Amino acid sequence: MPGLEDLYREIILDHYKNPRNRGTLEPPAVRGEGHNPLCGDEIEVFLIVKDGIVEDIKIAGQGCSISQSSASMMGVAVKGKTVENARAFIARIKHMLSIDEEGEPDTSIALGDLEALTGVVKFPVRIKCAVLSWNTLAEALDIAAE
Amino acid sequence: MSFDLQRVRADFPVLAEVINGKPLVYLDSANSSQKPNAVIDAMTSFLQHDYSPTNRSAYTMAAHATDLYEGARTKVARFINAPRAEEVVFTKNATEALNLVAHSWGSANLSEGDSIVLTHMEHHANIVPWQMLAAEKGFTIRWVPLTSDGLLDLTNINELLTGASAFSFTAMSNVLGTINPVKELCALAHQHGAIAIVDGCQSVPHMPTDVQDWDADFVAFSSHKMVGPSGIGLLWGRENLLDAMPPFLGGGNMISDVKLEGFTCADLPAKFEAGTQPITEAVGLAAAVDYLTAIGMHNVRQHEREITAYALETLTNRFGDDIVIHGSRDINQRGATLSFAYRDVHPHDVSQVLDQHNVCVRAGHHCAKPLMRLLGANATVRASFYLYNTNDEVDALADALAEAGDFFTL
């Protein structure tokens, strides 16, 4: 049986206790909103996308350590990156979390701190916590592209 | 009969499970209860020796299965002191039972300008069916608020009930454990000409039930929370109300005749039992009723009062201000369901640490989001106890909570 330390790596607890890019952005920033109806976790992702670059990102909402730390690490990973890179990152993370999507993800993308989320796969009920912010980011990117 | 906890535990095989060297500590009975051998054996034996369809074929086995199925109805009726077995309708679950009342009684009796009264502590099953119907019919829903210690605030109840057609409320909150004064609430409803609909899901499994003493009009509850199988729920209703209601689901079994021009309904209870019914589940439910009756519902309630008192005392002594237990502290006003917040640790993370110790609790909104908003919480941890839980299991919960606290110190 996997232990708690497989799930709650040091880096995850650090992002949970000290979330990065926490806050909101005013329009013209776009806003994506994600809910986990089973547990009530909520994530809001605010984005400023200019010339194909994610110039700024802020994250609000509330939830468990996995959903909140995943969101915090996500903000760090995509801020300043191109939209294309951000979308590739979403596909890469979902693949890592064993969520099947169409197409092959680019596994050469370096995961950095997000490597810590690999342990979540051993706790299937928590995968939905880890993926919530990434689905919300995808929605916000779609809105920004409109 | 005296209550022997160790003998009760021996009746539930799953309680002997050991996972990774640790015993199972099942504290999620408000969600669904475990099953005694009596229920498991009754269902297995029925499937091995007696299974056949009910209420249609003429052979001996089918007649025997029909007797068992209808016998379950009689046992349930006796268990809740219903005047007639025909007033007990089998459904898929309690949610379907409440939907039946909303759609069948509600669609025949509610229209624009009417109102019904619900409370802030209802389960979604006693909210959403009414909201669905209200969107269609245009009636309004009024809400009974709560006091700060999680009881119904009846200060303005007469105003709320004035002109109302129905008052639908839970007998016991699935989040707070609050036991509501059902008899008083039914009387209030009737004083104002409203019918009284009781969600008995959390109360019927845990204390004696007398629908005639309550003077209720409908009572919905489920089998799977009262040591019976899932897949079968119950609606009791007054015969005159059920008779006057249109059918809910249409199909086989619920008709008296079908012609190209239309159909006529069967008598109660078949009128509300379309299609093949949960036959094996009814057999299991009958065994569950026999089991609880033999133990005695007063004994179940008394055991739960004791374990609730012990849990409130233990958790408060060990964690002080680090734990916030929602609802009343008075065991006369609450059942054995405890929702709480523990420090700043998110309920999912608490439940994950508890799971490492095989301590099974529910973390989430418990299908009562309006109540959760009132509590200012997205989620709570809920530990719920039943006739088979022990004080040692309360201690196991407390030990695991302490570890969660160490792990997530912010």
Side-chain angles (χ1 to χ4, degrees):
Chain A
M1 186 181 185
L4 285 177
E5 56 288 348
D6 289 308
L7 181 64
Y8 298 119
R9 305 265 188 85
E10 200 63 39
I11 190 80
I12 289 181
L13 294 175
D14 176 56
H15 275 270
Y16 177 48
K17 292 168 191 174
N18 309 293
R20 327 296 201 254
N21 299 300
R22 186 94 187 146
T24 61
L25 291 170
E26 293 301 314
V30 298
R31 175 178 166 277
E33 185 184 332
H35 291 274
N36 188 335
L38 284 175
C39 58
D41 284 5
E42 295 167 353
I43 294 273
E44 288 176 286
V45 174
F46 298 85
L47 288 182
I48 293 180
V49 178
K50 217 183 232 170
D51 303 328
I53 306 279
V54 179
E55 281 202 337
D56 201 2
I57 179 167
K58 291 283 186 207
I59 298 159
Q62 50 175 325
C64 67
S65 60
I66 301 300
S67 74
Q68 298 302 302
S69 64
S70 179
S72 173
M73 290 189 282
M74 176 185 83
V76 173
V78 303
K79 190 171 174 177
K81 299 287 194 317
T82 66
V83 168
E84 204 177 324
N85 282 343
R87 287 194 188 278
F89 223 116
I90 294 169
R92 174 84 176 91
I93 293 294
K94 290 179 102 168
H95 179 259
M96 182 186 85
L97 292 171
S98 304
I99 296 166
D100 286 332
E101 297 260 301
E102 277 183 33
E104 278 299 301
D106 181 357
T107 48
S108 70
I109 296 171
L111 287 169
D113 285 356
L114 284 155
E115 182 79 41
L117 286 175
T118 49
V120 175
V121 179
K122 295 176 191 166
F123 297 83
V125 293
R126 303 304 292 274
I127 290 174
K128 60 184 169 51
C129 310
V131 82
L132 177 64
S133 56
W134 296 88
N135 285 334
T136 311
L137 171 64
E139 186 196 309
L141 287 170
D142 288 346
I143 296 169
E146 279 170 6
Chain B
M1 182 182 150
S2 67
F3 183 82
D4 181 339
L5 182 53
Q6 287 316 313
R7 278 185 63 183
V8 168
R9 286 184 65 79
D11 291 333
F12 290 78
V14 79
L15 299 180
E17 288 289 311
V18 175
I19 307 159
N20 295 312
K22 293 173 188 165
L24 175 72
V25 179
Y26 189 77
L27 306 181
D28 199 20
S29 296
N31 198 344
S32 198
S33 71
Q34 294 296 347
K35 320 302 172 198
N37 280 319
V39 169
I40 299 165
D41 293 347
M43 294 174 77
T44 305
S45 171
F46 179 71
L47 287 168
Q48 285 176 334
H49 305 292
D50 302 311
Y51 181 82
S52 86
T54 55
N55 287 323
R56 48 193 78 163
S57 305
Y59 46 86
T60 306
M61 243 174 90
H64 180 54
T66 302
D67 285 347
L68 291 173
Y69 180 74
E70 292 304 327
R73 195 188 309 281
T74 305
K75 285 180 182 188
V76 169
R78 218 174 284 146
F79 189 67
I80 59 171
N81 197 29
R84 301 192 59 215
E86 291 78 5
E87 295 175 334
V88 173
V89 175
F90 291 133
T91 60
K92 182 178 71 183
N93 48 35
T95 295
E96 188 182 283
L98 287 165
N99 273 271
L100 192 163
V101 177
H103 286 261
S104 184
W105 180 86
S107 65
N109 289 283
L110 297 171
S111 54
E112 205 171 337
D114 290 336
S115 60
I116 64 159
V117 179
L118 306 176
T119 87
H120 272 217
M121 65 166 78
E122 297 311 308
H123 187 283
H124 294 164
N126 195 25
I127 297 176
V128 179
W130 299 109
Q131 289 177 329
M132 288 164 66
L133 193 67
E136 190 187 317
K137 299 279 185 182
F139 62 86
T140 57
I141 300 174
R142 303 173 188 164
W143 301 89
V144 180
L146 305 188
T147 65
S148 57
D149 53 352
L151 308 179
L152 291 180
D153 180 351
L154 299 177
T155 314
N156 296 317
I157 190 67
N158 286 305
E159 203 175 308
L160 286 166
L161 283 170
T162 299
S165 304
F167 182 17
S168 189
F169 56 88
T170 184
M172 177 177 144
S173 164
N174 71 315
V175 176
L176 304 168
T178 309
I179 297 170
N180 287 325
V182 177
K183 189 173 177 173
E184 182 190 335
L185 298 177
C186 289
L188 280 164
H190 293 152
Q191 278 165 29
H192 291 275
I195 64 159
I197 304 161
V198 182
D199 173 358
C201 281
Q202 297 293 335
S203 74
V204 173
H206 300 282
M207 59 194 80
T209 303
D210 184 334
V211 298
Q212 295 187 69
D213 182 54
W214 277 352
D215 199 24
D217 296 298
F218 292 103
V219 180
F221 54 109
S222 56
S223 152
H224 72 95
K225 292 189 205 297
M226 50 183 277
V227 313
S230 57
I232 186 165
L234 298 128
L235 176 68
W236 168 80
R238 280 185 200 274
E239 185 179 20
N240 61 327
L241 290 173
L242 290 170
D243 265 338
M245 282 155 55
F248 178 46
L249 301 172
N253 197 55
M254 52 73 70
I255 48 87
S256 145
D257 194 12
V258 182
K259 294 177 179 162
L260 296 181
E261 297 76 27
F263 70 96
T264 49
C265 280
D267 290 337
L268 292 176
K271 172 180 168 182
F272 291 109
E273 295 183 357
T276 295
Q277 293 299 300
I279 306 163
T280 312
E281 288 73 12
V283 170
L285 170 60
V289 168
D290 284 344
Y291 181 82
L292 290 175
T293 303
I295 296 224
M297 292 309 293
H298 286 285
N299 291 326
V300 172
R301 171 69 182 138
Q302 183 54 30
H303 172 67
E304 291 184 19
R305 284 165 62 97
E306 287 165 15
I307 200 166
T308 304
Y310 182 75
L312 287 168
E313 184 191 324
T314 302
L315 295 174
T316 306
N317 286 348
R318 283 191 61 174
F319 303 110
D321 293 340
D322 281 346
I323 194 163
V324 176
I325 301 171
H326 299 293
S328 172
R329 313 284 301 189
D330 178 356
I331 58 164
N332 295 314
Q333 290 182 319
R334 64 140 61 239
T337 289
L338 268 62
S339 280
F340 57 88
Y342 178 59
R343 293 167 68 162
D344 287 333
V345 188
H346 192 277
H348 290 174
D349 293 320
V350 172
S351 115
Q352 190 81 55
V353 177
L354 265 49
D355 187 41
Q356 296 291 312
H357 298 273
N358 298 330
V359 176
C360 307
V361 295
R362 181 163 174 192
H365 55 58
H366 317 297
C367 301
K369 290 193 87 166
L371 173 57
M372 301 302 287
R373 287 202 182 88
L374 210 62
L375 299 175
N378 261 26
T380 68
V381 182
R382 182 184 70 181
S384 51
F385 305 97
Y386 203 6
L387 76 165
Y388 39 64
N389 289 118
T390 67
N391 287 358
D392 286 349
E393 291 179 308
V394 174
D395 293 337
L397 167 68
D399 290 345
L401 266 180
E403 188 183 316
D406 293 343
F407 204 86
F408 284 100
T409 302
L410 287 172

